[in-house]
Amino acid sequence: MNLRAIKAIYLFEMSRTMRTLAQSLISPVVSTILYFVVFGSAIGSRIQEIDGVGYGTFIVPGLIMLTVLTQSMSNASFGIYFPRFIGTIYEVLSAPISHLEVIVGYVGAAATKSTILGLIILITAGFFVDLQIAHPFYMFLFLILTSVTFSLFGFIIGIWADNFEKLQIIPLLVITPLTFLGGSFYSVSMLPPFWQTVTLFNPILYLVSGFRWSFFENADVSVGVSLSMIALFLMICVLIVWWIFKTGYRLKD
Amino acid sequence: MTSIINVSNLSKTYEGGFQALKSVNLEIKDGEIFALLGPNGAGKTTLISIICGLVNASEGSVTVGGFDIIRDYRQTRALIGLVPQELTTEAFETVRQNVSFTRGLFGKPKNPDLIEKILRDLSLWDKKDERIMNLSGGMKRRLLIAKALSHEPQILFLDEPTAGVDVELRKDMWNVVRDLQTSGVTIILTTHYIEEAEEMADRVGIITGGEIVLVEGKEALMNKLGSKQLTLDLLTPLEKIPESLIAHDLRLDNGGTNLVYTYDSKSDRTGITSLLNDLSANGVKFTDLKTNQSSLEDIFVDLVKQSS
């Protein structure tokens, strides 16, 4: 195990985050505040409680998930795409480092950043609404699992993309809609029965539902199902990455 | 000398169908400086990229220090330092950070003294805290060399190290290369500057169209360089070389209007006097004469032409 190489990549990526600290932190925090002002206060004041939770409070887990998902993906995809784009990837490829170690370095750094961001938004939210976390352990578990899974997914996008547009297209066209339609801002039980069924095919639903359960102990689907779905998605990402390195897809040709 | 790199039957066909390497066999000896010469697109970079792990081979195998580059990649890659052809560098990191990063990537513990020595040797110490994007092209080249040396490799690949480099840096670089060889490092450099190969290499390999067409010690090549040609423009063309002149190393050229004599310019007796005497005795008249030396360049151009 080349631990020094993992550390080198991890610290390299973290220092990139530190250099862009302001833009990394400020924009998610500002947009979260905007959500609270618009949804929480302006609209939320006219919405009755959902499952016994005030609307402003209800949307907190969804908001955190929204940021963690998008940040994990954009961070990890950029982290691996940029060295490919400027050519410095040669160094990583020529180093005595296994595929697993490369992934731990890049994905670990991206996941760390989005976990920190998730916590910052949680703290920010604490200034606007009264928050109680019923299961802190599970909250962290969901947060970290989601960060890791979607950083891994971002890593795959970063390898697949061969231009900057492709880097943006999946987060923009697929993930953001799925997040909005995955019950971030409402309970699925508020939907007509047909759309409730459709929503069950949205993987994001399981993340938001499980994460929300860790706060308020109410969920659209059971916690076990949520965790299984994340584990499943994580496994799929691991398999794709394994295939990428095995074949050298977009890296060694 | 024992061999440190063994390339056997190595082929590479890229996705688009372009065959960059055609069953290449090559042996690099421990501690030598090996120059790989070839025109653009000959397969030099592909060969290096496969040995270093940047490109997957289509067929064949490579061992480095007795280890297979696929199965024992950790051992082989730890032995190799690579200076790529393109100036591919980060932008925002500082010089020292970036060189230390490479050392870490290769699994070596921190060693600030060594990093300082490398940076000083390459005249980069003054720029140690400079962001890479502020460096000139020549400085970036030095940085790439410093990075490759940061993990104390046993083998150093220099892919076109002096392309677009000024005289001063070229000299610096050769000094570094010589020092490295003295300390036992094997160096493989690719170039299309023949003087560079002549100046530095122990052995020269010529690659063209994905095939290695010649591998020879530089001395042997220099001997070939020693041969000169005397060309005589004849007054009346000859159909064949007269019987009485057969003893001389002669050939007819240019439809019988030129008589070419090949001789060793370094030997004590070149045979020119006796040839000229024999020519006048046989009544062969000529209007002009010139001599020319075959350079490594000629040998190279000939070989490249032959194989294409």
Side-chain angles (χ1 to χ4, degrees), chain B residues 266-279:
Chain B
K266 284 175 181 161
S267 82
D268 297 337
R269 310 182 71 88
T270 56
I272 292 174
T273 320
S274 77
L275 172 71
L276 293 181
N277 284 339
D278 286 357
L279 285 174

Side-chain angles (χ1 to χ4, degrees), chain B residues 7-296:
Chain B
V7 177
S8 51
N9 298 319
L10 195 67
S11 296
K12 173 67 188 179
T13 307
Y14 283 103
E15 225 171 80
F18 173 69
Q19 197 176 9
L21 292 177
K22 296 168 188 163
S23 199
V24 165
N25 289 289
L26 183 65
E27 185 193 8
I28 307 288
K29 291 170 182 160
D30 195 5
E32 74 174 337
I33 298 183
F34 186 90
L36 194 58
L37 260 73
N40 290 325
K44 300 187 293 283
T45 301
T46 301
L47 179 57
I48 289 184
S49 299
I50 291 174
I51 299 174
C52 295
L54 306 185
V55 169
N56 289 331
S58 307
E59 270 170 64
S61 65
V62 180
T63 63
V64 177
F67 297 106
D68 183 82
I69 56 160
I70 306 291
R71 205 181 49 235
D72 314 310
Y73 68 95
R74 281 190 203 266
Q75 283 92 335
T76 65
R77 291 184 197 172
L79 289 171
I80 297 175
L82 167 66
V83 181
Q85 187 175 339
E86 307 287 335
L87 290 176
T88 43
T89 55
E90 311 292 340
F92 300 101
E93 279 69 27
T94 69
V95 168
R96 191 160 45 172
Q97 263 180 356
N98 204 231
V99 175
S100 306
F101 165 72
T102 306
R103 189 173 165 84
L105 207 53
F106 278 75
K108 291 283 176 86
K110 283 200 170 90
N111 187 343
D113 294 342
L114 177 83
I115 303 291
E116 178 173 345
K117 184 185 179 308
I118 292 171
L119 291 180
R120 282 191 192 281
D121 286 350
L122 286 159
S123 319
L124 270 175
W125 186 244
D126 293 344
K127 305 273 180 190
K128 60 183 186 295
D129 297 318
E130 193 78 53
R131 281 184 169 195
I132 295 167
M133 61 184 175
N134 298 331
L135 299 182
S136 67
M139 287 291 174
K140 283 182 183 163
R141 180 69 68 188
R142 287 167 202 258
L143 171 69
L144 288 177
I145 298 172
K147 279 159 75 81
L149 295 178
S150 68
H151 64 95
E152 303 156 89
Q154 279 305 298
I155 302 165
L156 183 67
F157 280 95
L158 294 160
D159 196 358
E160 309 253 346
T162 49
V165 152
D166 63 27
V167 181
E168 194 194 353
L169 174 53
R170 203 181 276 208
K171 272 192 203 155
D172 277 7
M173 233 149 63
W174 295 138
N175 287 335
V176 171
V177 166
R178 286 207 181 89
D179 286 353
L180 284 170
Q181 194 191 22
T182 315
S183 65
V185 176
T186 307
I187 291 139
I188 296 110
L189 61 101
T190 73
T191 181
H192 39 231
Y193 297 118
I194 283 143
E195 321 85 76
E196 206 159 83
E198 281 188 40
E199 169 80 19
M200 297 300 302
D202 299 313
R203 288 197 309 150
V204 176
I206 294 178
I207 182 170
T208 178
E211 289 173 288
I212 301 242
V213 291
L214 171 108
V215 177
E216 213 159 349
K218 193 180 61 179
E219 295 304 318
L221 274 178
M222 292 311 278
N223 285 340
K224 283 188 187 169
L225 276 173
S227 74
K228 283 184 96 171
Q229 271 124 28
L230 171 68
T231 308
L232 301 165
D233 294 349
L234 299 176
L235 188 63
T236 45
L238 288 173
E239 277 186 18
K240 64 185 184 73
I241 294 163
E243 290 290 322
S244 49
L245 293 174
I246 286 284
H248 301 282
D249 185 7
L250 288 172
R251 65 183 167 87
L252 282 168
D253 203 5
N254 214 5
T257 55
N258 286 351
L259 196 59
V260 182
Y261 172 60
T262 307
Y263 63 98
D264 183 1
S265 63
K266 284 175 181 161
S267 82
D268 297 337
R269 310 182 71 88
T270 56
I272 292 174
T273 320
S274 77
L275 172 71
L276 293 181
N277 284 339
D278 286 357
L279 285 174
S280 68
N282 281 278
V284 180
K285 294 196 166 67
F286 50 90
T287 55
D288 199 3
L289 78 169
K290 61 171 188 282
T291 67
N292 66 302
Q293 185 160 29
S294 59
S295 63
L296 189 46

Side-chain angles (χ1 to χ4, degrees), chain A residues 16 70 73-85 153-173 175 250:
Chain A
R16 188 168 66 81
T70 48
M73 272 190 298
S74 67
N75 224 330
S77 61
F78 193 78
I80 188 71
Y81 177 75
F82 197 61
R84 283 180 58 222
F85 179 70
F153 188 56
F155 187 84
I156 294 168
I157 295 172
I159 285 177
W160 164 76
D162 45 18
N163 57 46
F164 278 98
E165 282 71 33
K166 279 192 181 173
L167 213 52
Q168 297 294 336
I169 204 152
I170 290 195
L172 229 61
L173 276 182
I175 300 299
R250 296 265 162 107

Side-chain angles (χ1 to χ4, degrees), chain A residues 55 58-63 65-66 178-186 204 208 212:
Chain A
Y55 187 70
F58 180 84
I59 62 171
V60 170
L63 276 180
M65 274 294 160
L66 185 66
L178 285 182
T179 315
F180 273 93
L181 301 174
S184 301
F185 299 106
Y186 53 85
I204 309 277
V208 173
R212 185 175 289 138

